[in-house]
Amino acid sequence: MRALVAVAEQGDSRGLTRMLHPGVVLTVDGGGVVAAPVTALEGASDVGGYLRGALLDEAVRLRVESVNGVPGIVVCREGRVAGVLSICVRGRLILEAWLVLNPEKLTHWSC
């Protein structure tokens, strides 16, 4: 988690992509409230592109925090929780990721 935060804070898009398994799957939950892909994104290119947009932004601050009992990342934008990211790693690569953007599900965290 901390390596992912470090890469994002440095704006290192190549570093982010290198952390992804070639078959990585990202599920994004916008809850019909926030724009999000309707189906899961698959592959390092598509997932990397989406995560770059979500995490590698100067207005975004990231913090490692417990998400459903496991380490995750709280995504803060302009002092508000914009999302929560959790991942599953195989070896040293991210195999699965879940990004919750639905504001109704973000009330447990703060920035």
Side-chain angles (χ1 to χ4, degrees):
M1 279 300 168
R2 296 198 191 287
L4 179 56
V5 169
V7 163
E9 288 177 343
Q10 293 168 11
D12 184 356
S13 61
R14 284 186 180 173
L16 174 63
T17 302
R18 283 192 302 266
M19 296 181 78
L20 302 175
H21 186 279
V24 64
V25 175
L26 170 65
T27 302
V28 182
D29 175 4
V33 179
V34 176
V38 178
T39 60
L41 300 174
E42 297 182 26
S45 178
D46 287 348
V47 171
Y50 193 88
L51 289 178
R52 277 191 294 279
L55 305 179
L56 276 65
D57 182 328
E58 291 181 11
V60 169
R61 298 292 171 253
L62 305 174
R63 192 175 70 247
V64 175
E65 196 170 312
S66 178
V67 175
N68 298 325
V70 296
I73 297 174
V74 176
V75 182
C76 298
R77 184 184 302 272
E78 299 175 0
R80 295 182 19 211
V81 177
V84 174
L85 178 69
S86 58
I87 62 173
C88 173
V89 177
R90 177 179 290 162
R92 304 187 115 213
L93 300 177
I94 298 170
L95 182 61
E96 293 179 88
W98 300 269
L99 179 60
V100 176
L101 302 175
N102 181 348
E104 296 169 2
K105 295 182 178 178
L106 300 176
T107 59
H108 300 294
W109 296 276
S110 61
C111 290

